[in-house]
Amino acid sequence: MSDASPSALTLQPIGHIRTGKHVKFQALHQPSEQHAERNVLELLPGHNYEQALQDLAGFSRVWLVWWFHRTTTWRTQVYPPRGPEQARGVFATRSPHRPNPLGLTPVQLLGIEDRQLILGECDLVDGTPIFDIKPYVPAYDSFPDARAGWIEEVDALMSLPPQFTVQLSPLAANQAEWLRTQWQIDFQPRLHELLARDPLPHRTRRIKRRTATLSEIGCGAWRAFFTVEGSKVTITALDAGFPGRFLTDPLREDLPDCAAQLAFLGLWPQPPQ
Ligand SMILES: C[S@@+](CC[C@H](N)C(=O)[O-])C[C@H]1O[C@@H](n2cnc3c(N)ncnc32)[C@H](O)[C@@H]1O
């Protein structure tokens, strides 16, 4: 028998998670547990996974090992979304853009119902394939005194109060209210949190300058335009993230919030100048 290691390994998902978060913008960078949330891991039928779950109920947390299935490229250096725009070696980050895009997340285990695990807050988008579940064991898995490299510096920055105040123009407030009431789409909390911290251009936070005074930030399937004066950020308008020709293209039927974006463009066809 050869002891050469195989050049490729095959893994089969054991199930998929339902989080209701359909775009990456909605998923947190790491689970925070400040938000009460209920997510469901549905294990696949036909493998006796019910037996494999025996004895797990006594653990209040589990590790999920999963696949960043929405990521198709990897890079040696990435720009983490938190903190100043600075490249870091991918192995010193939790970025999805890895040679083997494996994710690792500790989550609260709230219950087990047949082949379903009821889980707390997590950072996975809806439909993410899960490869494994392991119990979280504080005695083995927790090292509170371990050094955390550059993340300690960023955490120190993030613990300071936000430097900017964020307000909506009457148009943006009207658009946000329309999205919330007509389509149950609300990306305002995340948008405000990001802009209150740092509205400067940043590739991973998808912030770029449009003109000398107007900037733009991508928010999943949507985008927002804003100005910055001193420490005051004003969101001047919202807009669909995709052009009308993409939204009506039958080959791109999977675009998130497609119907809502088309309706939005019907009401507000002109992107702000
Ligand atoms: C920074 S990663 C950390 C993931 C995991 N906790 C880890 O440390 O390996 C979390 C981000 O991955 C992205 N994400 C979540 N599910 C994904 C998926 N299935 N495919 C690609 N990206 C995903 C979301 O943008 C989320 O904010």
Side-chain angles (χ1 to χ4, degrees):
M1 198 166 77
S2 162
D3 62 357
S5 55
S7 58
L9 304 168
T10 306
L11 298 178
Q12 302 291 338
I14 57 168
H16 298 86
I17 195 160
R18 297 285 152 223
T19 64
K21 294 167 187 157
H22 295 280
V23 289
K24 287 191 263 177
F25 182 80
Q26 293 172 311
L28 295 173
H29 297 308
Q30 295 292 339
S32 87
E33 297 190 4
Q34 285 166 358
H35 314 77
E37 213 178 71
R38 189 178 185 275
N39 298 298
V40 178
L41 168 51
E42 295 171 352
L43 297 183
L44 294 169
H47 299 271
N48 278 335
Y49 287 146
E50 295 84 344
Q51 283 182 30
L53 290 173
Q54 194 183 319
D55 304 312
L56 190 65
F59 293 86
S60 58
R61 284 165 201 273
V62 292
W63 289 106
L64 298 182
V65 182
W66 50 279
W67 193 248
F68 288 102
H69 73 308
R70 298 263 192 93
T71 301
T72 52
T73 55
W74 83 275
R75 297 191 275 277
T76 54
Q77 301 243 305
V78 296
Y79 290 86
R82 294 185 337 136
E85 188 173 53
Q86 190 172 333
R88 309 276 180 187
V90 70
F91 293 140
T93 75
R94 297 298 193 91
S95 165
H97 300 279
R98 334 182 65 79
N100 291 306
L102 286 166
L104 183 64
T105 298
V107 284
Q108 274 183 294
L109 177 61
L110 304 176
I112 300 178
E113 296 168 9
D114 196 25
R115 264 183 292 105
Q116 293 195 339
L117 275 73
I118 315 302
L119 304 172
E121 175 74 27
C122 71
D123 54 3
L124 290 71
V125 298
D126 201 83
T128 296
I130 309 296
F131 285 138
D132 203 3
I133 303 161
K134 292 173 196 261
Y136 176 90
V137 183
Y140 305 163
D141 296 339
S142 169
F143 303 92
D145 298 331
R147 288 191 298 127
W150 63 270
I151 292 180
E152 283 176 9
E153 293 161 32
V154 171
D155 279 349
L157 272 179
M158 302 294 283
S159 67
L160 299 172
Q163 301 295 303
F164 295 84
T165 57
V166 182
Q167 61 180 31
L168 292 165
S169 72
L171 170 64
N174 190 10
Q175 292 171 321
E177 181 64 9
W178 181 83
L179 279 174
R180 209 169 13 243
T181 52
Q182 302 297 311
W183 295 91
Q184 291 74 54
I185 291 172
D186 188 5
F187 51 89
Q188 294 303 312
R190 194 78 203 283
L191 172 61
H192 285 233
E193 184 189 312
L194 287 170
L195 293 180
R197 281 271 159 222
D198 184 0
L200 294 178
H202 191 293
R203 65 193 84 184
T204 312
R205 288 200 290 268
R206 296 175 61 202
I207 299 177
K208 56 186 175 201
R209 280 203 213 289
R210 295 260 303 195
T211 66
T213 51
L214 191 68
S215 298
E216 170 188 332
I217 178 169
C219 315
W222 301 89
R223 55 190 178 154
F225 297 92
F226 62 92
T227 57
V228 183
E229 283 170 74
S231 62
K232 197 172 79 180
V233 176
T234 306
I235 300 172
T236 55
L238 308 180
D239 195 17
F242 294 93
R245 66 176 194 285
F246 280 23
L247 296 167
T248 49
D249 180 349
L251 297 175
R252 298 176 191 262
E253 60 184 10
D254 284 345
L255 292 182
D257 298 343
C258 187
Q261 289 187 71
L262 278 170
F264 184 99
L265 290 175
L267 286 174
W268 294 284
Q270 291 297 326
Q273 299 305 312

